[in-house]
Amino acid sequence: MSGKAGIKDVARVAGVSVGTVSNVINNPELVSDDTRGRVRAAIAQLGYVRSETARQLRAGHSRIVAMLVLDLANPFFADVAKGAERTLRDVGLGVMVCNSAGSTADEADYLSLFAEQRVRGVLVTPADTSGRTVELLRARGIPFVLVDRSLPADQGCSVSVDDVLGGAMAVRHLVSSGHRRIAYVGGPAHLAQVRDRFTGGLDAVREGGLADDALITIESDRPDVAAGRDAGARLLGMSPRPTAVFCANDLLALGVLQSLYAAGVRVPHDIALVGYDDIEFAAAAAVPLTSVRQPAARIGRTAAELLLAETEATADDDHIHQRIVLRPELVVRDSSRRAARVAD
Amino acid sequence: MSGKAGIKDVARVAGVSVGTVSNVINNPELVSDDTRGRVRAAIAQLGYVRSETARQLRAGHSRIVAMLVLDLANPFFADVAKGAERTLRDVGLGVMVCNSAGSTADEADYLSLFAEQRVRGVLVTPADTSGRTVELLRARGIPFVLVDRSLPADQGCSVSVDDVLGGAMAVRHLVSSGHRRIAYVGGPAHLAQVRDRFTGGLDAVREGGLADDALITIESDRPDVAAGRDAGARLLGMSPRPTAVFCANDLLALGVLQSLYAAGVRVPHDIALVGYDDIEFAAAAAVPLTSVRQPAARIGRTAAELLLAETEATADDDHIHQRIVLRPELVVRDSSRRAARVAD
DNA sequence: CGCCGAAATTGAAACGTTTCAGTGTATGCC
DNA sequence: GGCATACACTGAAACGTTTCAATTTCGGCG
């Protein structure tokens, strides 16, 4: 009895036409009080639920925005998703969060699914680095916004964070705390983010009047905790040993911390440590971690707003793509505090 | 040109009827090689993408399964979602992950959205504890499976983990390592999971021939890192001090660890520590954390399978609801190892 | 040579909405 | 009383598929 009632059934029970029922739902002010009451009663009685499917068919597009992230288990993306979700729900759009897990094939599968679903738009952090994903979306005419990646403004909207600035903030903090030998633990070098953060770090070193080799790179092959542990081990073997470490993300920093702790090296007493991303667990580490915060929720919100603007643009050309670059924020915690105190 | 082509356009270009085009897509073996070729060419030429929307309208339900979780940022749910996603994608269903953030109101909103979308089914961890959510789903005839919550088998399918057993495993481990005073740090007592884990712990204590007061409860108001820090502070003030701590989840344990570390109390040398959930960061802690692992991906997979079974049941009564309770697993790491060595 | 059945193809109905040009029906004005 | 006007409501078309009964085509067989 419940899943089956359609607008026609409601119309019959209320003794009106289907058009009137539709108006009661979508334009109540067009209908007389009396009729409206009868129709609402019929709806309640039948347990009628409007079929969004049929509605979409007529409208030509759905009320759903798809979000495709690299890793659902990464707290950063979870926060971005939350931010986007709130904004989109406020305007009545549903959000479908999907996980490409970094796989180009899965990403392509999802893009097909989205096209078939006629989603309203897509928020995406592409796994594919060749630009084919962006190309495909444009070719299919699906509005999209790149998240945590940037794109020349003529090619589409994007929201990213200034990684060069973030790297500079981290290293500037360490330099001004008196550190003169700083290790940079970075994930695979082919990632733009890893390179940008290094570039920023180098800027800060020079700014502080130090030579370039005050910043020593320790390259890790993956950006995770295990790789951080390895990097920590290598760090301990260096001589002279750096007095501070800047990691390209918090997972690496947590790994380094683990190594140092196991070896009895105290943080920040012996070595200061700075991470990147400020994931929830940065504050939860045994030594609360200084980190460069990515404004994750804000990224999500901004991306959602850009997508809405693009969606609402009536003519193709009355929308101007935007490339938004947000500022990160340095959150200083215990892991880098001692040196600061000494320097003061 | 791309987003606009319909099946009729394809039919016109290929010089066949719409029925034939549909057959090429859905039942290729019914169509002659020649025609099939022409139709496929037309599809490619026009960039035709089938409208899942129209398809759903005819079929009466969509190809999407909704998943409603309590907290997307919680790695546990992210893993559950991943497990479910894989299983469902293998049978061609899309997954829409939504986040109720524990809000009953948001949950209700999403349920309405799902009903309007005519989703194929719902995997849900209800924020609502009154059972109204389950009632609503049943009333609307939407197939559902409860995740990480259990339900009498006559009321619906559910997949949960045996929390009493998990608590017992953790405490048994500590008791057999020689601990005689064990603190239990638990979140708000009204949560069934918090109580169950305590019950299991008590079982283990008795089993070990100890008095009930060998397990001392430290109640925290929330299950997060900050609350864990508070609990750690209280723990340090106790006299005589427990030699081991069992926390109702890993976040609490990480908070406790932070307190202990700050106070110079060594883990596991001075105090052994066991968490619950085995989130990714348990292994990443400064002292890798012993924890009771919830088989998150397996929960997701199992729930998806149950939902599929329910969906595929043709008659209402040819499906028997199942209540599946999975076994947790104790993962021993450094945070509880020393005592074990001593006891051996 | 005509008929039959199988294979291939067709064309229209149906799915549940929204939209819109019309049809009534009071109301107010001259 | 006649007429314009606003208002309330109607009914059918359209959205893009799938499905299925009906039709055409064709080779083979009696």
Side-chain angles (χ1 to χ4, degrees):
Chain A
M1 85 177 201
S2 41
K4 324 211 69 188
I7 205 173
K8 283 184 210 154
D9 303 298
V10 175
R12 186 165 5 89
V13 170
V16 298
S17 74
V18 293
T20 301
V21 176
S22 177
N23 277 336
V24 169
I25 297 170
N26 301 298
N27 305 88
E29 73 281 3
L30 295 180
V31 182
S32 72
D33 288 2
D34 176 40
T35 310
R36 201 187 313 144
R38 251 181 314 138
V39 171
R40 293 228 165 107
I43 287 178
Q45 181 195 327
L46 294 173
Y48 166 74
V49 177
R50 162 173 77 190
S51 163
E52 185 62 24
T53 306
R55 203 167 185 236
Q56 286 170 17
L57 176 57
R58 190 139 215 302
H61 55 71
S62 78
R63 293 198 148 277
I64 291 191
V65 169
M67 175 153 196
L68 189 51
V69 301
L70 282 183
D71 182 9
L72 243 186
N74 184 327
F76 170 71
F77 284 113
D79 287 342
V80 173
K82 275 187 182 175
E85 203 171 20
R86 183 148 322 158
T87 304
L88 292 169
R89 279 186 58 68
D90 283 350
V91 297
L93 294 175
V95 182
M96 178 170 175
V97 181
C98 299
N99 184 22
S100 69
S103 144
T104 322
D106 283 6
E107 178 163 294
D109 279 358
Y110 269 121
L111 291 180
S112 297
L113 179 67
F114 297 161
E116 291 192 348
Q117 297 279 354
R118 301 288 193 270
V119 296
R120 190 68 150 271
V122 179
L123 301 177
V124 58
T125 306
D128 161 81
T129 52
S130 71
R132 208 168 316 157
T133 292
V134 168
E135 233 170 78
L136 194 59
L137 285 166
R138 204 188 352 256
R140 288 194 176 147
I142 303 177
F144 67 94
V145 174
L146 248 50
V147 172
D148 199 36
R149 294 282 184 276
S150 82
L151 199 64
D154 57 325
Q155 299 198 32
C157 287
S158 62
V159 180
S160 57
V161 180
D162 189 338
D163 283 311
V164 175
L165 176 59
M169 292 168 89
V171 174
R172 198 177 292 147
H173 165 65
L174 292 171
V175 169
S176 76
S177 299
H179 294 283
R180 294 294 172 261
R181 289 185 60 78
I182 301 170
Y184 173 67
V185 176
H190 65 85
L191 290 181
Q193 303 191 321
V194 171
R195 287 198 312 270
D196 287 351
R197 289 167 194 179
F198 177 75
T199 304
L202 211 53
D203 289 350
V205 160
R206 291 172 182 161
E207 200 182 287
L210 303 177
D212 284 6
D213 63 2
L215 191 64
I216 308 131
T217 298
I218 298 181
E219 191 171 335
S220 68
D221 43 347
R222 285 159 313 153
D224 57 22
V225 175
R229 266 194 301 264
D230 292 348
R234 270 185 281 163
L235 177 75
L236 290 169
M238 290 171 71
S239 157
R241 207 163 70 188
T243 61
V245 184
F246 168 41
C247 298
N249 80 26
D250 284 341
L251 298 180
L252 287 168
L254 291 175
V256 169
L257 180 61
Q258 214 176 49
S259 276
L260 298 184
Y261 184 87
V265 175
R266 285 164 304 169
V267 173
H269 187 273
D270 303 322
I271 291 189
L273 189 57
V274 176
Y276 206 109
D277 281 350
D278 194 33
I279 61 178
E280 194 185 341
F281 297 98
V287 184
L289 199 63
T290 295
S291 189
V292 178
R293 174 180 298 168
Q294 307 249 44
R298 184 126 189 277
I299 294 175
R301 183 152 40 86
T302 308
E305 285 162 359
L306 286 182
L307 187 66
L308 288 177
E310 184 157 350
T311 302
E312 279 157 16
T314 43
D316 279 354
D317 48 359
D318 90 353
H319 172 76
I320 301 164
H321 291 312
Q322 292 193 58
R323 172 190 203 157
I324 292 192
V325 179
L326 299 173
R327 288 175 62 89
E329 179 192 356
L330 182 72
V331 180
V332 178
R333 298 202 184 85
D334 290 351
S335 74
S336 67
R337 268 213 179 105
R338 184 201 72 97
R341 260 187 248 128
V342 166
D344 280 352
Chain B
M1 89 178 200
S2 39
K4 325 211 66 185
I7 205 172
K8 283 185 210 153
D9 303 297
V10 174
R12 186 163 6 88
V13 170
V16 298
S17 73
V18 293
T20 301
V21 176
S22 177
N23 277 335
V24 169
I25 297 170
N26 302 297
N27 306 88
E29 74 281 4
L30 295 180
V31 181
S32 71
D33 288 2
D34 176 41
T35 309
R36 202 187 311 143
R38 252 180 315 139
V39 171
R40 293 227 164 107
I43 288 177
Q45 181 196 327
L46 294 172
Y48 165 74
V49 177
R50 159 174 79 190
S51 163
E52 185 63 24
T53 305
R55 205 170 181 231
Q56 287 170 18
L57 177 56
R58 188 133 218 303
H61 55 71
S62 79
R63 292 197 150 279
I64 293 191
V65 169
M67 175 153 194
L68 188 52
V69 302
L70 282 184
D71 182 9
L72 243 188
N74 184 326
F76 169 71
F77 285 114
D79 287 342
V80 174
K82 275 188 182 176
E85 203 171 21
R86 182 147 326 156
T87 304
L88 292 169
R89 280 186 57 68
D90 283 351
V91 297
L93 294 174
V95 181
M96 177 172 177
V97 182
C98 299
N99 184 23
S100 69
S103 144
T104 322
D106 283 6
E107 178 163 295
D109 280 358
Y110 269 120
L111 291 180
S112 296
L113 179 67
F114 297 162
E116 290 193 349
Q117 295 280 354
R118 300 289 193 271
V119 296
R120 190 67 150 271
V122 180
L123 301 177
V124 57
T125 305
D128 163 81
T129 51
S130 71
R132 209 168 317 158
T133 292
V134 167
E135 233 171 78
L136 194 59
L137 285 166
R138 202 188 352 256
R140 289 195 175 144
I142 302 177
F144 68 95
V145 174
L146 248 50
V147 172
D148 199 35
R149 293 282 184 277
S150 81
L151 198 67
D154 56 325
Q155 299 198 34
C157 288
S158 62
V159 180
S160 57
V161 180
D162 189 338
D163 283 311
V164 175
L165 177 59
M169 291 168 90
V171 174
R172 200 177 292 147
H173 165 66
L174 291 171
V175 170
S176 76
S177 299
H179 294 284
R180 295 295 172 261
R181 287 185 62 78
I182 301 171
Y184 173 67
V185 176
H190 65 84
L191 290 182
Q193 302 190 322
V194 171
R195 287 198 311 271
D196 287 350
R197 289 167 194 177
F198 176 75
T199 304
L202 211 53
D203 290 350
V205 160
R206 290 172 182 162
E207 199 183 287
L210 303 178
D212 283 7
D213 63 3
L215 190 64
I216 308 133
T217 297
I218 300 182
E219 191 172 334
S220 67
D221 43 349
R222 284 160 313 153
D224 57 21
V225 176
R229 265 194 303 262
D230 292 348
R234 271 185 281 163
L235 178 75
L236 289 170
M238 291 171 72
S239 157
R241 207 162 72 188
T243 61
V245 184
F246 167 41
C247 298
N249 80 26
D250 284 341
L251 298 179
L252 288 168
L254 291 175
V256 169
L257 180 62
Q258 213 176 48
S259 276
L260 299 184
Y261 183 88
V265 175
R266 286 163 305 170
V267 172
H269 187 271
D270 302 322
I271 290 188
L273 190 56
V274 176
Y276 206 109
D277 282 350
D278 195 32
I279 61 176
E280 194 185 340
F281 296 97
V287 183
L289 199 63
T290 294
S291 189
V292 179
R293 174 180 297 167
Q294 307 249 44
R298 183 125 191 276
I299 294 174
R301 184 153 39 87
T302 308
E305 285 163 359
L306 286 181
L307 187 64
L308 287 176
E310 183 157 352
T311 302
E312 280 157 16
T314 44
D316 279 355
D317 48 358
D318 93 353
H319 172 76
I320 301 165
H321 291 313
Q322 291 193 58
R323 171 190 204 156
I324 292 191
V325 179
L326 298 174
R327 288 177 62 89
E329 179 192 356
L330 182 72
V331 181
V332 179
R333 298 203 184 83
D334 291 351
S335 75
S336 66
R337 268 211 181 107
R338 184 201 72 99
R341 260 185 251 130
V342 166
D344 280 351

